[in-house]
Amino acid sequence: MIQSVAAIVFGDGSKESSMRLYPLTKRRSEGAIPIAANYRLIDAVISNCINSNISKIYALTQFNSTSLNSHLSRAYSGAGLVGKQGFDVEVIAAYQSREDQGWFQGTADAVRRCLWVLEDDHNSALEFILLPGHHLYKMDYQKLLAIHRNSNADITLAVAPSPAYHFRHNNRRSSFGYVEVSSENEVIEFRETRESEKMNPTAEAEHSTNSKNCISRSSYRSMGIYVIKKDAMIKLLREYFPRANDLATEIIPGAIKIGMKVQSYIFDGYWEDMTDIEAFYKASMESTRNSTSGYNFYDIESTLYTLPKCLPPSLIMDAIITDSIIGGGCILNSCNIKGSVIGTRTRIGDRSVIEDSVLMGADIYQQTTYGDQSIREEGTGIGIPIGIGENSYIRKAIIDKNVRIGKNIRITNKDNVQEGNREALGYIISGGIVIVLRNAVIPDGSII
Ligand SMILES: Nc1ncnc2c1ncn2[C@@H]1O[C@H](COP(=O)(O)OP(=O)(O)O[C@H]2O[C@H](CO)[C@@H](O)[C@H](O)[C@H]2O)[C@@H](O)[C@H]1O
């Protein structure tokens, strides 16, 4: 286990950052979003730490953090993580004190206000690895740390080639970190680039020679992942930039300006930073295919950990299921499921068809008999049990947790709406994908 480095995982900081995956973040932070039937997004980053033998992990949480805090402490604290003794995830929820009034104002402010914990005598870390908590990727952080140490850098950024995908589809993205590096991969320039300022994608991919400085340059996208020497971090946050709130827009460019050594680690593996609903949907659909693209959930060399649950095996009766993943404890009657993610404790009624969709499942098994007519009031939604009723058709949708979907409904985005807020009716359409809100009730016969 590496004792000299500790990880700082960012939960979710603000209303703004939580909007990119809205409405999945209406009542939870980004890291707590269920993914691939059995997991939460934050499991990917925590598992990277565990698989990289980083034993001390601080999770800084603030906005909509109840379910994230609960998942982290139940899954990874104390005896929760079976067979992985010595690992510790410490949740530091945003707090106020006599000196520090108000909430954390950004990533730099959050770290600064937790320095007293990070500086603790019991904490032997000499470096910190700072990680966004909602990205889906596998990275051996030891490789990143090796680059950082071998180049004797103060800060090392993980960077990725900029895929054209982000330029073509990502209209809602407000900013990303644009990095220029020298032929030795030292960072020459870092700036957080607004959508309107984006460089031409073809030009960006090209390597260029800066005639003035005679430096060969290449451009990359920052992954928002940083290794920082403890001393440098304390100096940057307390002495040089005591009022800076944000790491990306203030601290990193500031460090380059004052001459600190900022190195880059080029990562060319699968990485999805979940910048919007379309990205989440795409990553979910990839999880249903046995292909080399996408996140490998089946890699025994790097286990994806999560909260162990005492769930019975899924009960599948006369159903036809293709190209799909099914979580634990589901009850699937005579239904047809294709290209879909079926979350834990999902119930689906007879003759229903689910295609290219993500069902997040349920937190509880309902005690009512499924479809009990005696408690149903037609057209009102009253008496509809959690799950999908019989004879319903759902295509290209995300159904959040604990949703009660009646019988004979159709969710296919029949009018081909691209963006639409129908929260009062229990759903939102984003990028042409219908998202049914957590706990929503969709009455019998509804057509969306
Ligand atoms: N006060 C707070 N407390 C706890 N958590 C907080 C927080 N404020 C923010 N966070 C979390 O910290 C992470 C970074 O969030 P930011 O909003 O600062 O940057 P963004 O994700 O847009 O871009 C970043 O990541 C992209 C890659 O996705 C880079 O390109 C870009 O340079 C970089 O700024 C997110 O996981 C966010 O939820």
Side-chain angles (χ1 to χ4, degrees):
M1 279 184 289
I2 308 174
Q3 303 290 357
S4 68
V5 58
I8 299 174
V9 176
F10 293 109
D12 201 347
S14 62
K15 194 172 163 212
E16 289 71 40
S17 60
S18 76
M19 283 315 286
R20 46 196 166 198
L21 288 171
Y22 194 84
L24 302 178
T25 47
K26 189 175 163 77
R27 291 269 178 258
R28 58 165 89 83
S29 53
E30 293 168 315
I33 295 174
I35 182 90
N38 285 351
Y39 304 96
R40 306 279 182 151
L41 272 176
I42 201 155
D43 291 327
V45 170
I46 301 288
S47 299
N48 282 343
C49 292
I50 295 168
N51 293 325
S52 304
N53 278 323
I54 295 174
S55 57
K56 183 71 197 178
I57 303 163
Y58 298 94
L60 310 192
T61 67
Q62 171 162 270
F63 194 75
N64 256 343
S65 56
T66 311
S67 59
L68 186 64
N69 294 351
S70 152
H71 176 74
L72 286 172
S73 44
R74 283 157 66 215
Y76 300 108
S77 297
L81 190 60
V82 181
K84 286 280 172 185
Q85 296 304 320
F87 284 87
D88 181 31
V89 178
E90 190 172 334
V91 174
I92 309 182
Y95 65 92
Q96 301 189 38
S97 67
R98 193 184 290 268
E99 303 82 42
D100 294 314
Q101 305 283 317
W103 297 114
F104 296 162
Q105 297 301 306
T107 44
D109 187 48
V111 176
R112 182 185 297 108
R113 283 167 58 175
C114 297
L115 279 179
W116 65 276
V117 183
L118 308 176
E119 284 177 302
D120 193 304
D121 279 345
H122 302 298
N123 185 351
S124 51
L126 299 173
E127 297 137 331
F128 289 97
I129 176 163
L130 277 50
L131 305 161
H134 63 281
H135 295 182
L136 189 64
Y137 65 106
K138 282 179 191 244
M139 186 189 286
D140 181 352
Y141 297 139
Q142 292 199 44
K143 292 186 181 162
L144 167 60
L145 287 161
I147 296 281
H148 176 74
R149 288 170 190 158
N150 292 342
S151 58
N152 196 24
D154 295 297
I155 302 176
T156 300
L157 317 181
V159 300
S162 289
Y165 168 79
H166 279 270
F167 292 96
R168 281 201 315 270
H169 299 292
N170 205 346
N171 300 328
R172 281 177 294 278
R173 168 139 218 139
S174 57
S175 65
F176 66 91
Y178 164 70
V179 183
E180 280 209 27
V181 305
S182 72
S183 50
E184 276 78 47
N185 291 334
E186 186 168 343
V187 177
I188 305 164
E189 193 185 339
F190 178 98
R191 66 170 196 273
E192 201 77 348
T193 310
R194 298 274 146 207
E195 190 71 10
S196 54
E197 299 167 27
K198 273 182 330 202
M199 61 302 266
N200 174 328
T202 0
E204 188 207 13
E206 283 171 6
H207 293 218
S208 64
T209 301
N210 180 320
S211 54
K212 198 171 164 205
N213 303 321
C214 286
I215 297 171
S216 167
R217 294 168 168 239
S218 306
S219 307
Y220 294 94
R221 207 153 52 93
S222 166
M223 298 174 72
I225 295 171
Y226 320 116
V227 179
I228 308 188
K229 275 183 184 164
K230 181 178 181 176
D231 291 350
M233 189 163 91
I234 292 170
K235 278 198 180 117
L236 284 165
L237 293 173
R238 286 218 181 106
E239 288 176 34
Y240 300 137
F241 308 105
R243 272 181 248 291
N245 286 331
D246 191 40
L247 290 167
T249 54
E250 297 165 280
I251 298 291
I252 309 283
I256 296 169
K257 218 173 195 171
I258 61 172
M260 281 194 174
K261 181 156 191 202
V262 182
Q263 193 67 24
S264 67
Y265 166 70
I266 299 159
F267 178 72
D268 60 4
Y270 172 82
W271 170 59
E272 177 52 72
D273 57 346
M274 302 292 175
T275 50
D276 56 21
I277 289 287
E278 284 169 82
F280 173 80
Y281 177 77
K282 180 172 165 275
S284 298
M285 290 299 102
E286 279 166 348
S287 73
T288 66
R289 294 178 209 122
N290 187 11
S291 71
T292 46
S293 68
Y295 186 91
N296 184 356
F297 290 90
Y298 303 92
D299 180 2
I300 50 164
E301 299 295 318
S302 57
T303 307
L304 180 58
Y305 295 92
T306 190
L307 176 67
K309 296 184 195 89
C310 289
L311 284 172
S314 286
L315 182 62
I316 300 169
M317 292 162 287
D318 199 22
I320 299 170
I321 302 172
T322 45
D323 302 330
S324 297
I325 54 174
I326 312 291
C330 297
I331 301 178
L332 310 176
N333 291 317
S334 308
C335 54
N336 192 329
I337 299 170
K338 196 174 161 216
S340 296
V341 176
I342 308 296
T344 47
R345 300 190 192 88
T346 295
R347 302 177 84 138
I348 303 179
D350 287 348
R351 297 177 306 285
S352 283
V353 177
I354 314 293
E355 277 175 15
D356 304 330
S357 293
V358 180
L359 275 54
M360 291 187 170
D363 291 320
I364 52 160
Y365 281 119
Q366 252 193 323
Q367 291 305 309
T368 56
T369 309
Y370 186 75
D372 183 351
Q373 292 303 323
S374 62
I375 55 163
R376 282 175 98 110
E377 287 180 26
E378 283 299 319
T380 62
I382 292 171
I384 296 176
I386 292 176
I388 314 292
E390 63 207 45
N391 209 23
S392 290
Y393 180 41
I394 299 176
R395 179 168 45 79
K396 201 175 177 189
I398 299 173
I399 312 294
D400 206 331
K401 274 191 160 183
N402 303 335
V403 166
R404 296 156 193 270
I405 290 190
K407 55 189 176 182
N408 303 318
I409 62 103
R410 287 179 72 83
I411 301 179
T412 58
N413 190 9
K414 73 173 169 49
D415 297 325
N416 198 21
V417 174
Q418 287 308 297
E419 304 295 320
N421 188 332
R422 318 267 157 82
E423 277 199 63
L425 299 175
Y427 67 96
I428 274 181
I429 302 178
S430 177
I433 301 159
V434 177
I435 305 128
V436 178
L437 273 64
R438 187 187 167 105
N439 298 329
V441 181
I442 307 292
D444 296 345
S446 300
I447 297 177
I448 295 173

